[in-house]
Amino acid sequence: MTNKFFKRGRWLISIFLVVSLLCSCTPPPKSAATPSGTGYEHYNAADVSMQKNFDLFTDDLFRNEISNSGISFHFTMADPASRGLKTVPLTLGDFSLDNMKKNSKDLAELKKKLNQFNPRKLTKDQRLTYQILYSYIDTEMASEGLELYTQPLTTTIGIQAQLPVLFAEYAFYKKDDVDHYLSLLSTIDDYYSQILEFEKQKSEAGLFMSDSAADHVLKSCEAYLIQPDHSFLSETFNTRIDALNDLTPEEKAAYKEKNLKVLEEHFVPAYKNLINGITALMGTGKNDKGLSWYPEGKKYFEYLVNSNTGTSYDSVDSLKKAIEKQITSDIKALGQITKENPKVLDQLDTYSFNVTKPEDILESLKSQIAKDFPELPKNQYTVKYVPKALESSLSPAFYLVPPIDRYEDNIIYINGNPRFQNDDLYTTLAHEGYPGHLYQNVYFLSKSPNDLRSILSFSSYSEGWATYVENYSYTLDNGLDPDLGKLLAHNSAVTLGIYAYLDICINYEGWDKEQTAKYLSTFYNVEKTDIVDSIYNSLVENPTNYMEYYVGYLEIMEMRNAAEKILKDKFNLKEFHTFLLDIGPAPFSVILPEFRNWLGKELRSS
């Protein structure tokens, strides 16, 4: 993860469900060729029957998956009754080692059920869903036996940091939602007790976090130890209650009082117990270096790379070489720009964008991207600011994925912490808004995809896209010298690439802090120990997090470069973007064959 954003995909799903429904890597074993003919798909009665059964299969899987967590359930659908779902699960989920092991067995059963379908007999859209699901199952089954390597508590992207934000954004569409909210909030202490028990099991297995990492988690927890009546959770609750029209003033007052009681009796104690529990476990974490220093750390890192990036590369080593190649390409581009325009370097410390207010930036981006991106249906957004109490523990900005049946309503958060004041808000909002996360989600959900596909979490597709368009935004009409915009875009790519490269070196090859410092000093003139410490600790505490962003960007750039090289003057950037958006969130191991088919069609039509 870059230093700007929450982990995305349907991140709220992947955090709260013990098995995040669907990450991926390996292609399916059976051919999924499109039926030949006139351009229409032809099926016999048996094929149609299989297609109906496949829809029932994916529909049941969707229903079961979102029913594991009340938070996931609510954030996925504003109107669950429209899908025939009437019972809201009043639980935050089951975060236990036993449940993780059970889920591993469930995956094997799911694979057997999936194998009953012949992808040749499915529709084009169904075949894509089949491939994605098959890829996910194969990838996740590789984590069996490695459950205790899971890291639920980490700085910024851990459950303890993100769950309160979801509660603050829990929409009240009607009175029942308030009751469900309070019931769910009342279970947070039990849920955190499960996580703490899991951390104790990690400790007993010699897999607990280092004291440095634990200290960072404790600091993020302390941000929530505030008086209930001065809590952002009470403020946001009161605002949502006041907006409900079907409650009397007396009912509103009673709900507000009940919320304060729940915060006092469950929420604050949950964080106090978590702090006490983590503090008691400090000293039991023996490894302050990367994953490879654990017994099966390299194996777990390989799993994380496949699960979190969905890369088309078949090994960590081959992916590392691709990262080196892309970094080199961007560095060469930097050199070419400065060679042709040496004075551009003089602008690095003084540049500014011509729009600075969030809403103005988003509107500017929305109007300018029309030439290179397909049109969106009607949508709206609200820009909010991170509560003061959480500024030190949350990202500079993040986007919340809307319910699949209310994709028109979107929310972007900005962190006003002074330490982020030098971040470029223009490009950050391109990442979070247009043509980034907001745009990509609205586009995909407006196509009414299979419900199961709407909750599949492929963060490298989502973050890769957002990173790619963030760099694209530097080249728009934004007040920058065009050469400076290109320079900043390539520099941003190089910086993120270094993090991805070091992620592999530290967590897979076993580099220590001294080796990391030598690399940064030798190749990038980074001498300050505080910077080295920050980079090293961030990569140790969040393996593959930055890779989710960079590998997605890398895969997209490789496809674009190939298309430009092959299609030459026939290449159309808008058509390329439309292809990526139409295919939607998926692992790149599945996207790449689809890209080759698209490229072939473009060649034949040119």
mmCIF file of all heavy atoms in Angstrom, residues 24-25 132 135 306 308-313 458-465 547-559 579-580 583-596:
data_model
loop_
_atom_site.group_PDB
_atom_site.id
_atom_site.type_symbol
_atom_site.label_atom_id
_atom_site.label_comp_id
_atom_site.label_asym_id
_atom_site.label_seq_id
_atom_site.Cartn_x
_atom_site.Cartn_y
_atom_site.Cartn_z
ATOM 1 N N SER A 24 -6.760 -14.680 -6.092
ATOM 2 C CA SER A 24 -6.583 -15.639 -7.163
ATOM 3 C C SER A 24 -5.183 -15.779 -7.692
ATOM 4 O O SER A 24 -4.292 -15.072 -7.324
ATOM 5 C CB SER A 24 -7.449 -15.191 -8.312
ATOM 6 O OG SER A 24 -7.059 -13.891 -8.616
ATOM 7 N N CYS A 25 -5.019 -16.714 -8.647
ATOM 8 C CA CYS A 25 -3.776 -16.796 -9.398
ATOM 9 C C CYS A 25 -3.829 -17.770 -10.554
ATOM 10 O O CYS A 25 -3.650 -17.391 -11.684
ATOM 11 C CB CYS A 25 -2.615 -17.166 -8.484
ATOM 12 S SG CYS A 25 -1.055 -16.997 -9.326
ATOM 13 N N ILE A 132 -12.295 -16.948 -12.666
ATOM 14 C CA ILE A 132 -11.894 -16.175 -11.488
ATOM 15 C C ILE A 132 -12.056 -17.002 -10.220
ATOM 16 O O ILE A 132 -11.173 -17.036 -9.356
ATOM 17 C CB ILE A 132 -12.721 -14.877 -11.405
ATOM 18 C CG1 ILE A 132 -12.332 -13.941 -12.555
ATOM 19 C CG2 ILE A 132 -12.523 -14.180 -10.073
ATOM 20 C CD1 ILE A 132 -13.253 -12.750 -12.715
ATOM 21 N N SER A 135 -9.492 -19.816 -10.061
ATOM 22 C CA SER A 135 -8.187 -19.238 -9.738
ATOM 23 C C SER A 135 -8.082 -18.927 -8.249
ATOM 24 O O SER A 135 -7.078 -19.224 -7.601
ATOM 25 C CB SER A 135 -7.975 -17.972 -10.563
ATOM 26 O OG SER A 135 -6.783 -17.341 -10.227
ATOM 27 N N ASN A 306 0.677 -14.252 -4.593
ATOM 28 C CA ASN A 306 -0.355 -14.755 -5.507
ATOM 29 C C ASN A 306 -1.744 -14.279 -5.109
ATOM 30 O O ASN A 306 -2.556 -13.877 -5.952
ATOM 31 C CB ASN A 306 -0.321 -16.283 -5.542
ATOM 32 C CG ASN A 306 0.890 -16.812 -6.290
ATOM 33 O OD1 ASN A 306 1.373 -16.176 -7.207
ATOM 34 N ND2 ASN A 306 1.372 -17.962 -5.874
ATOM 35 N N ASN A 308 -2.617 -11.620 -3.105
ATOM 36 C CA ASN A 308 -2.825 -10.175 -3.038
ATOM 37 C C ASN A 308 -2.533 -9.435 -4.332
ATOM 38 O O ASN A 308 -2.975 -8.297 -4.504
ATOM 39 C CB ASN A 308 -1.982 -9.573 -1.914
ATOM 40 C CG ASN A 308 -2.464 -10.007 -0.544
ATOM 41 O OD1 ASN A 308 -3.604 -10.448 -0.392
ATOM 42 N ND2 ASN A 308 -1.610 -9.897 0.460
ATOM 43 N N THR A 309 -1.766 -10.050 -5.236
ATOM 44 C CA THR A 309 -1.493 -9.360 -6.500
ATOM 45 C C THR A 309 -2.142 -10.049 -7.690
ATOM 46 O O THR A 309 -2.339 -9.406 -8.725
ATOM 47 C CB THR A 309 0.025 -9.248 -6.782
ATOM 48 O OG1 THR A 309 0.537 -10.510 -7.199
ATOM 49 C CG2 THR A 309 0.777 -8.742 -5.563
ATOM 50 N N GLY A 310 -2.450 -11.348 -7.582
ATOM 51 C CA GLY A 310 -3.042 -12.052 -8.714
ATOM 52 C C GLY A 310 -2.167 -11.964 -9.949
ATOM 53 O O GLY A 310 -2.655 -11.971 -11.078
ATOM 54 N N THR A 311 -0.861 -11.880 -9.754
ATOM 55 C CA THR A 311 0.056 -11.631 -10.853
ATOM 56 C C THR A 311 0.024 -12.730 -11.910
ATOM 57 O O THR A 311 -0.258 -13.898 -11.609
ATOM 58 C CB THR A 311 1.495 -11.466 -10.328
ATOM 59 O OG1 THR A 311 2.366 -11.181 -11.419
ATOM 60 C CG2 THR A 311 1.965 -12.733 -9.619
ATOM 61 N N SER A 312 0.359 -12.357 -13.129
ATOM 62 C CA SER A 312 0.435 -13.333 -14.215
ATOM 63 C C SER A 312 1.795 -14.033 -14.231
ATOM 64 O O SER A 312 1.984 -15.004 -14.969
ATOM 65 C CB SER A 312 0.206 -12.643 -15.567
ATOM 66 O OG SER A 312 1.216 -11.676 -15.817
ATOM 67 N N TYR A 313 2.739 -13.552 -13.423
ATOM 68 C CA TYR A 313 4.061 -14.176 -13.356
ATOM 69 C C TYR A 313 4.000 -15.431 -12.491
ATOM 70 O O TYR A 313 3.297 -15.475 -11.485
ATOM 71 C CB TYR A 313 5.094 -13.185 -12.812
ATOM 72 C CG TYR A 313 5.442 -12.123 -13.824
ATOM 73 C CD1 TYR A 313 4.712 -10.935 -13.880
ATOM 74 C CD2 TYR A 313 6.451 -12.316 -14.751
ATOM 75 C CE1 TYR A 313 5.008 -9.958 -14.826
ATOM 76 C CE2 TYR A 313 6.747 -11.350 -15.705
ATOM 77 C CZ TYR A 313 6.029 -10.184 -15.738
ATOM 78 O OH TYR A 313 6.307 -9.234 -16.687
ATOM 79 N N PHE A 458 -10.105 -8.133 -5.376
ATOM 80 C CA PHE A 458 -8.858 -8.212 -6.127
ATOM 81 C C PHE A 458 -8.170 -6.861 -6.016
ATOM 82 O O PHE A 458 -8.273 -6.021 -6.901
ATOM 83 C CB PHE A 458 -9.116 -8.609 -7.576
ATOM 84 C CG PHE A 458 -9.670 -9.999 -7.703
ATOM 85 C CD1 PHE A 458 -11.001 -10.196 -8.003
ATOM 86 C CD2 PHE A 458 -8.866 -11.099 -7.462
ATOM 87 C CE1 PHE A 458 -11.523 -11.474 -8.086
ATOM 88 C CE2 PHE A 458 -9.377 -12.382 -7.539
ATOM 89 C CZ PHE A 458 -10.706 -12.576 -7.859
ATOM 90 N N SER A 459 -7.505 -6.685 -4.910
ATOM 91 C CA SER A 459 -6.963 -5.365 -4.591
ATOM 92 C C SER A 459 -5.890 -4.918 -5.560
ATOM 93 O O SER A 459 -5.707 -3.719 -5.781
ATOM 94 C CB SER A 459 -6.429 -5.343 -3.155
ATOM 95 O OG SER A 459 -5.517 -6.398 -2.949
ATOM 96 N N SER A 460 -5.135 -5.846 -6.159
ATOM 97 C CA SER A 460 -4.085 -5.416 -7.085
ATOM 98 C C SER A 460 -4.682 -4.878 -8.383
ATOM 99 O O SER A 460 -4.125 -3.963 -8.989
ATOM 100 C CB SER A 460 -3.120 -6.564 -7.391
ATOM 101 O OG SER A 460 -1.913 -6.079 -7.920
ATOM 102 N N TYR A 461 -5.809 -5.436 -8.807
ATOM 103 C CA TYR A 461 -6.519 -4.860 -9.956
ATOM 104 C C TYR A 461 -6.992 -3.451 -9.594
ATOM 105 O O TYR A 461 -6.769 -2.489 -10.344
ATOM 106 C CB TYR A 461 -7.707 -5.734 -10.346
ATOM 107 C CG TYR A 461 -8.627 -5.097 -11.378
ATOM 108 C CD1 TYR A 461 -8.433 -5.310 -12.740
ATOM 109 C CD2 TYR A 461 -9.682 -4.266 -10.985
ATOM 110 C CE1 TYR A 461 -9.269 -4.705 -13.693
ATOM 111 C CE2 TYR A 461 -10.508 -3.660 -11.914
ATOM 112 C CZ TYR A 461 -10.306 -3.889 -13.265
ATOM 113 O OH TYR A 461 -11.130 -3.281 -14.190
ATOM 114 N N SER A 462 -7.650 -3.330 -8.437
ATOM 115 C CA SER A 462 -8.219 -2.044 -8.031
ATOM 116 C C SER A 462 -7.130 -1.015 -7.756
ATOM 117 O O SER A 462 -7.193 0.124 -8.237
ATOM 118 C CB SER A 462 -9.088 -2.224 -6.784
ATOM 119 O OG SER A 462 -10.133 -3.134 -7.027
ATOM 120 N N GLU A 463 -6.117 -1.404 -6.964
ATOM 121 C CA GLU A 463 -5.062 -0.460 -6.622
ATOM 122 C C GLU A 463 -4.117 -0.218 -7.793
ATOM 123 O O GLU A 463 -3.557 0.870 -7.933
ATOM 124 C CB GLU A 463 -4.283 -0.958 -5.404
ATOM 125 C CG GLU A 463 -5.068 -0.968 -4.104
ATOM 126 C CD GLU A 463 -5.560 0.405 -3.674
ATOM 127 O OE1 GLU A 463 -5.224 1.418 -4.333
ATOM 128 O OE2 GLU A 463 -6.290 0.480 -2.676
ATOM 129 N N GLY A 464 -3.908 -1.253 -8.614
ATOM 130 C CA GLY A 464 -3.087 -1.065 -9.805
ATOM 131 C C GLY A 464 -3.721 -0.056 -10.747
ATOM 132 O O GLY A 464 -3.046 0.832 -11.298
ATOM 133 N N TRP A 465 -5.040 -0.186 -10.942
ATOM 134 C CA TRP A 465 -5.773 0.767 -11.773
ATOM 135 C C TRP A 465 -5.664 2.177 -11.187
ATOM 136 O O TRP A 465 -5.353 3.138 -11.909
ATOM 137 C CB TRP A 465 -7.240 0.367 -11.881
ATOM 138 C CG TRP A 465 -8.110 1.413 -12.514
ATOM 139 C CD1 TRP A 465 -8.844 2.378 -11.879
ATOM 140 C CD2 TRP A 465 -8.281 1.651 -13.925
ATOM 141 N NE1 TRP A 465 -9.481 3.180 -12.792
ATOM 142 C CE2 TRP A 465 -9.157 2.757 -14.051
ATOM 143 C CE3 TRP A 465 -7.805 1.024 -15.069
ATOM 144 C CZ2 TRP A 465 -9.550 3.250 -15.296
ATOM 145 C CZ3 TRP A 465 -8.200 1.514 -16.310
ATOM 146 C CH2 TRP A 465 -9.060 2.622 -16.417
ATOM 147 N N MET A 547 3.150 -4.043 -2.912
ATOM 148 C CA MET A 547 3.135 -4.803 -4.157
ATOM 149 C C MET A 547 1.754 -4.832 -4.785
ATOM 150 O O MET A 547 1.617 -4.904 -6.006
ATOM 151 C CB MET A 547 3.635 -6.228 -3.900
ATOM 152 C CG MET A 547 5.118 -6.312 -3.559
ATOM 153 S SD MET A 547 5.667 -8.001 -3.319
ATOM 154 C CE MET A 547 5.593 -8.597 -5.005
ATOM 155 N N GLU A 548 0.711 -4.797 -3.962
ATOM 156 C CA GLU A 548 -0.647 -4.770 -4.501
ATOM 157 C C GLU A 548 -0.809 -3.594 -5.460
ATOM 158 O O GLU A 548 -1.447 -3.709 -6.511
ATOM 159 C CB GLU A 548 -1.666 -4.658 -3.376
ATOM 160 C CG GLU A 548 -1.740 -5.891 -2.488
ATOM 161 C CD GLU A 548 -2.725 -5.713 -1.349
ATOM 162 O OE1 GLU A 548 -3.581 -4.810 -1.451
ATOM 163 O OE2 GLU A 548 -2.631 -6.456 -0.366
ATOM 164 N N TYR A 549 -0.227 -2.463 -5.108
ATOM 165 C CA TYR A 549 -0.312 -1.267 -5.937
ATOM 166 C C TYR A 549 0.613 -1.371 -7.146
ATOM 167 O O TYR A 549 0.193 -1.143 -8.283
ATOM 168 C CB TYR A 549 0.070 -0.028 -5.114
ATOM 169 C CG TYR A 549 -0.887 0.278 -4.003
ATOM 170 C CD1 TYR A 549 -0.889 -0.467 -2.823
ATOM 171 C CD2 TYR A 549 -1.799 1.318 -4.116
ATOM 172 C CE1 TYR A 549 -1.776 -0.192 -1.796
ATOM 173 C CE2 TYR A 549 -2.689 1.620 -3.096
ATOM 174 C CZ TYR A 549 -2.670 0.851 -1.936
ATOM 175 O OH TYR A 549 -3.557 1.132 -0.927
ATOM 176 N N TYR A 550 1.869 -1.707 -6.872
ATOM 177 C CA TYR A 550 2.847 -1.655 -7.948
ATOM 178 C C TYR A 550 2.679 -2.775 -8.963
ATOM 179 O O TYR A 550 2.797 -2.536 -10.178
ATOM 180 C CB TYR A 550 4.276 -1.682 -7.391
ATOM 181 C CG TYR A 550 5.290 -1.395 -8.478
ATOM 182 C CD1 TYR A 550 5.481 -0.088 -8.920
ATOM 183 C CD2 TYR A 550 6.006 -2.421 -9.085
ATOM 184 C CE1 TYR A 550 6.380 0.196 -9.951
ATOM 185 C CE2 TYR A 550 6.902 -2.146 -10.105
ATOM 186 C CZ TYR A 550 7.090 -0.832 -10.530
ATOM 187 O OH TYR A 550 7.961 -0.564 -11.554
ATOM 188 N N VAL A 551 2.419 -3.982 -8.507
ATOM 189 C CA VAL A 551 2.269 -5.092 -9.454
ATOM 190 C C VAL A 551 1.067 -4.855 -10.358
ATOM 191 O O VAL A 551 1.112 -5.135 -11.565
ATOM 192 C CB VAL A 551 2.159 -6.443 -8.715
ATOM 193 C CG1 VAL A 551 1.816 -7.571 -9.690
ATOM 194 C CG2 VAL A 551 3.469 -6.754 -7.999
ATOM 195 N N GLY A 552 -0.017 -4.310 -9.814
ATOM 196 C CA GLY A 552 -1.165 -3.970 -10.654
ATOM 197 C C GLY A 552 -0.789 -2.934 -11.696
ATOM 198 O O GLY A 552 -1.150 -3.048 -12.879
ATOM 199 N N TYR A 553 -0.076 -1.901 -11.259
ATOM 200 C CA TYR A 553 0.401 -0.866 -12.186
ATOM 201 C C TYR A 553 1.311 -1.482 -13.247
ATOM 202 O O TYR A 553 1.183 -1.188 -14.450
ATOM 203 C CB TYR A 553 1.157 0.201 -11.393
ATOM 204 C CG TYR A 553 2.076 1.078 -12.219
ATOM 205 C CD1 TYR A 553 1.574 2.127 -12.991
ATOM 206 C CD2 TYR A 553 3.455 0.848 -12.219
ATOM 207 C CE1 TYR A 553 2.428 2.926 -13.738
ATOM 208 C CE2 TYR A 553 4.309 1.640 -12.968
ATOM 209 C CZ TYR A 553 3.796 2.671 -13.720
ATOM 210 O OH TYR A 553 4.645 3.454 -14.473
ATOM 211 N N LEU A 554 2.223 -2.356 -12.816
ATOM 212 C CA LEU A 554 3.153 -3.025 -13.724
ATOM 213 C C LEU A 554 2.416 -3.835 -14.793
ATOM 214 O O LEU A 554 2.713 -3.736 -15.988
ATOM 215 C CB LEU A 554 4.079 -3.925 -12.912
ATOM 216 C CG LEU A 554 4.910 -4.976 -13.658
ATOM 217 C CD1 LEU A 554 5.996 -4.301 -14.466
ATOM 218 C CD2 LEU A 554 5.515 -5.971 -12.676
ATOM 219 N N GLU A 555 1.445 -4.639 -14.354
ATOM 220 C CA GLU A 555 0.706 -5.490 -15.292
ATOM 221 C C GLU A 555 -0.070 -4.642 -16.307
ATOM 222 O O GLU A 555 -0.121 -4.967 -17.498
ATOM 223 C CB GLU A 555 -0.250 -6.409 -14.522
ATOM 224 C CG GLU A 555 0.426 -7.376 -13.552
ATOM 225 C CD GLU A 555 0.700 -8.736 -14.179
ATOM 226 O OE1 GLU A 555 0.505 -8.882 -15.395
ATOM 227 O OE2 GLU A 555 1.102 -9.658 -13.433
ATOM 228 N N ILE A 556 -0.673 -3.557 -15.840
ATOM 229 C CA ILE A 556 -1.424 -2.678 -16.741
ATOM 230 C C ILE A 556 -0.492 -2.003 -17.735
ATOM 231 O O ILE A 556 -0.786 -1.917 -18.939
ATOM 232 C CB ILE A 556 -2.234 -1.627 -15.944
ATOM 233 C CG1 ILE A 556 -3.361 -2.317 -15.163
ATOM 234 C CG2 ILE A 556 -2.806 -0.561 -16.879
ATOM 235 C CD1 ILE A 556 -4.092 -1.406 -14.201
ATOM 236 N N MET A 557 0.650 -1.533 -17.260
ATOM 237 C CA MET A 557 1.609 -0.879 -18.152
ATOM 238 C C MET A 557 2.151 -1.848 -19.196
ATOM 239 O O MET A 557 2.354 -1.469 -20.356
ATOM 240 C CB MET A 557 2.760 -0.288 -17.336
ATOM 241 C CG MET A 557 2.412 0.990 -16.587
ATOM 242 S SD MET A 557 1.806 2.326 -17.653
ATOM 243 C CE MET A 557 3.215 2.566 -18.740
ATOM 244 N N GLU A 558 2.390 -3.094 -18.789
ATOM 245 C CA GLU A 558 2.890 -4.080 -19.744
ATOM 246 C C GLU A 558 1.854 -4.355 -20.836
ATOM 247 O O GLU A 558 2.209 -4.483 -22.020
ATOM 248 C CB GLU A 558 3.273 -5.371 -19.020
ATOM 249 C CG GLU A 558 4.544 -5.234 -18.199
ATOM 250 C CD GLU A 558 4.999 -6.525 -17.566
ATOM 251 O OE1 GLU A 558 4.148 -7.431 -17.379
ATOM 252 O OE2 GLU A 558 6.191 -6.645 -17.252
ATOM 253 N N MET A 559 0.583 -4.440 -20.456
ATOM 254 C CA MET A 559 -0.463 -4.637 -21.461
ATOM 255 C C MET A 559 -0.577 -3.417 -22.376
ATOM 256 O O MET A 559 -0.696 -3.550 -23.602
ATOM 257 C CB MET A 559 -1.805 -4.931 -20.779
ATOM 258 C CG MET A 559 -1.910 -6.332 -20.209
ATOM 259 S SD MET A 559 -3.568 -6.718 -19.567
ATOM 260 C CE MET A 559 -3.520 -5.875 -17.988
ATOM 261 N N PHE A 579 -11.581 -1.808 -22.241
ATOM 262 C CA PHE A 579 -11.344 -3.246 -22.070
ATOM 263 C C PHE A 579 -11.073 -3.580 -20.608
ATOM 264 O O PHE A 579 -11.680 -4.508 -20.044
ATOM 265 C CB PHE A 579 -10.158 -3.702 -22.930
ATOM 266 C CG PHE A 579 -9.519 -4.971 -22.438
ATOM 267 C CD1 PHE A 579 -10.146 -6.196 -22.624
ATOM 268 C CD2 PHE A 579 -8.314 -4.934 -21.751
ATOM 269 C CE1 PHE A 579 -9.583 -7.372 -22.123
ATOM 270 C CE2 PHE A 579 -7.736 -6.098 -21.251
ATOM 271 C CZ PHE A 579 -8.371 -7.318 -21.446
ATOM 272 N N LEU A 580 -10.167 -2.852 -19.979
ATOM 273 C CA LEU A 580 -9.812 -3.131 -18.583
ATOM 274 C C LEU A 580 -11.005 -2.940 -17.649
ATOM 275 O O LEU A 580 -11.223 -3.716 -16.719
ATOM 276 C CB LEU A 580 -8.666 -2.223 -18.134
ATOM 277 C CG LEU A 580 -7.271 -2.568 -18.647
ATOM 278 C CD1 LEU A 580 -6.278 -1.487 -18.240
ATOM 279 C CD2 LEU A 580 -6.826 -3.921 -18.096
ATOM 280 N N ILE A 583 -13.772 -5.790 -18.132
ATOM 281 C CA ILE A 583 -13.457 -7.095 -17.552
ATOM 282 C C ILE A 583 -13.641 -7.071 -16.039
ATOM 283 O O ILE A 583 -13.990 -8.066 -15.432
ATOM 284 C CB ILE A 583 -12.037 -7.555 -17.944
ATOM 285 C CG1 ILE A 583 -11.929 -9.076 -17.809
ATOM 286 C CG2 ILE A 583 -10.960 -6.878 -17.105
ATOM 287 C CD1 ILE A 583 -10.698 -9.663 -18.452
ATOM 288 N N GLY A 584 -13.422 -5.915 -15.420
ATOM 289 C CA GLY A 584 -13.673 -5.769 -14.002
ATOM 290 C C GLY A 584 -12.635 -6.422 -13.114
ATOM 291 O O GLY A 584 -11.660 -7.025 -13.600
ATOM 292 N N PRO A 585 -12.810 -6.322 -11.792
ATOM 293 C CA PRO A 585 -11.840 -6.883 -10.850
ATOM 294 C C PRO A 585 -11.600 -8.368 -11.091
ATOM 295 O O PRO A 585 -12.537 -9.159 -11.140
ATOM 296 C CB PRO A 585 -12.497 -6.639 -9.491
ATOM 297 C CG PRO A 585 -13.372 -5.440 -9.706
ATOM 298 C CD PRO A 585 -13.907 -5.608 -11.096
ATOM 299 N N ALA A 586 -10.341 -8.736 -11.253
ATOM 300 C CA ALA A 586 -9.958 -10.122 -11.520
ATOM 301 C C ALA A 586 -8.455 -10.241 -11.337
ATOM 302 O O ALA A 586 -7.741 -9.234 -11.350
ATOM 303 C CB ALA A 586 -10.350 -10.528 -12.947
ATOM 304 N N PRO A 587 -7.941 -11.455 -11.172
ATOM 305 C CA PRO A 587 -6.484 -11.634 -11.126
ATOM 306 C C PRO A 587 -5.897 -11.426 -12.520
ATOM 307 O O PRO A 587 -6.545 -11.705 -13.530
ATOM 308 C CB PRO A 587 -6.319 -13.077 -10.656
ATOM 309 C CG PRO A 587 -7.580 -13.751 -11.077
ATOM 310 C CD PRO A 587 -8.661 -12.725 -10.968
ATOM 311 N N PHE A 588 -4.682 -10.949 -12.576
ATOM 312 C CA PHE A 588 -4.067 -10.703 -13.880
ATOM 313 C C PHE A 588 -3.755 -11.991 -14.617
ATOM 314 O O PHE A 588 -3.645 -11.998 -15.846
ATOM 315 C CB PHE A 588 -2.813 -9.849 -13.707
ATOM 316 C CG PHE A 588 -3.128 -8.447 -13.293
ATOM 317 C CD1 PHE A 588 -3.004 -8.057 -11.962
ATOM 318 C CD2 PHE A 588 -3.601 -7.517 -14.212
ATOM 319 C CE1 PHE A 588 -3.325 -6.763 -11.570
ATOM 320 C CE2 PHE A 588 -3.928 -6.230 -13.831
ATOM 321 C CZ PHE A 588 -3.793 -5.849 -12.498
ATOM 322 N N SER A 589 -3.654 -13.100 -13.898
ATOM 323 C CA SER A 589 -3.477 -14.392 -14.558
ATOM 324 C C SER A 589 -4.704 -14.755 -15.389
ATOM 325 O O SER A 589 -4.608 -15.509 -16.354
ATOM 326 C CB SER A 589 -3.207 -15.482 -13.516
ATOM 327 O OG SER A 589 -4.243 -15.519 -12.557
ATOM 328 N N VAL A 590 -5.857 -14.207 -15.040
ATOM 329 C CA VAL A 590 -7.084 -14.408 -15.818
ATOM 330 C C VAL A 590 -7.240 -13.307 -16.863
ATOM 331 O O VAL A 590 -7.706 -13.542 -17.982
ATOM 332 C CB VAL A 590 -8.315 -14.453 -14.883
ATOM 333 C CG1 VAL A 590 -9.610 -14.440 -15.684
ATOM 334 C CG2 VAL A 590 -8.258 -15.693 -13.991
ATOM 335 N N ILE A 591 -6.849 -12.088 -16.503
ATOM 336 C CA ILE A 591 -7.015 -10.951 -17.414
ATOM 337 C C ILE A 591 -6.114 -11.080 -18.643
ATOM 338 O O ILE A 591 -6.527 -10.734 -19.763
ATOM 339 C CB ILE A 591 -6.714 -9.628 -16.680
ATOM 340 C CG1 ILE A 591 -7.778 -9.363 -15.609
ATOM 341 C CG2 ILE A 591 -6.657 -8.458 -17.661
ATOM 342 C CD1 ILE A 591 -7.490 -8.155 -14.739
ATOM 343 N N LEU A 592 -4.885 -11.570 -18.461
ATOM 344 C CA LEU A 592 -3.920 -11.588 -19.556
ATOM 345 C C LEU A 592 -4.409 -12.357 -20.781
ATOM 346 O O LEU A 592 -4.308 -11.849 -21.911
ATOM 347 C CB LEU A 592 -2.578 -12.140 -19.069
ATOM 348 C CG LEU A 592 -1.401 -11.967 -20.029
ATOM 349 C CD1 LEU A 592 -1.194 -10.498 -20.375
ATOM 350 C CD2 LEU A 592 -0.123 -12.558 -19.421
ATOM 351 N N PRO A 593 -4.976 -13.577 -20.639
ATOM 352 C CA PRO A 593 -5.519 -14.254 -21.832
ATOM 353 C C PRO A 593 -6.663 -13.461 -22.484
ATOM 354 O O PRO A 593 -6.795 -13.458 -23.711
ATOM 355 C CB PRO A 593 -6.013 -15.604 -21.280
ATOM 356 C CG PRO A 593 -5.217 -15.820 -20.035
ATOM 357 C CD PRO A 593 -5.029 -14.458 -19.453
ATOM 358 N N GLU A 594 -7.483 -12.807 -21.667
ATOM 359 C CA GLU A 594 -8.561 -11.979 -22.206
ATOM 360 C C GLU A 594 -7.977 -10.792 -22.987
ATOM 361 O O GLU A 594 -8.518 -10.386 -24.021
ATOM 362 C CB GLU A 594 -9.451 -11.467 -21.067
ATOM 363 C CG GLU A 594 -10.162 -12.553 -20.283
ATOM 364 C CD GLU A 594 -11.249 -13.239 -21.098
ATOM 365 O OE1 GLU A 594 -11.837 -12.579 -21.984
ATOM 366 O OE2 GLU A 594 -11.508 -14.434 -20.839
ATOM 367 N N PHE A 595 -6.889 -10.245 -22.474
ATOM 368 C CA PHE A 595 -6.223 -9.138 -23.168
ATOM 369 C C PHE A 595 -5.713 -9.582 -24.535
ATOM 370 O O PHE A 595 -5.848 -8.852 -25.531
ATOM 371 C CB PHE A 595 -5.068 -8.612 -22.317
ATOM 372 C CG PHE A 595 -4.133 -7.699 -23.061
ATOM 373 C CD1 PHE A 595 -4.529 -6.424 -23.422
ATOM 374 C CD2 PHE A 595 -2.855 -8.130 -23.401
ATOM 375 C CE1 PHE A 595 -3.667 -5.579 -24.126
ATOM 376 C CE2 PHE A 595 -1.986 -7.298 -24.095
ATOM 377 C CZ PHE A 595 -2.389 -6.021 -24.453
ATOM 378 N N ARG A 596 -5.132 -10.769 -24.588
ATOM 379 C CA ARG A 596 -4.627 -11.267 -25.869
ATOM 380 C C ARG A 596 -5.756 -11.441 -26.878
ATOM 381 O O ARG A 596 -5.596 -11.152 -28.074
ATOM 382 C CB ARG A 596 -3.878 -12.579 -25.647
ATOM 383 C CG ARG A 596 -2.558 -12.405 -24.886
ATOM 384 C CD ARG A 596 -1.970 -13.726 -24.484
ATOM 385 N NE ARG A 596 -0.722 -13.547 -23.730
ATOM 386 C CZ ARG A 596 -0.287 -14.375 -22.793
ATOM 387 N NH1 ARG A 596 -1.003 -15.464 -22.498
ATOM 388 N NH2 ARG A 596 0.842 -14.147 -22.164
#
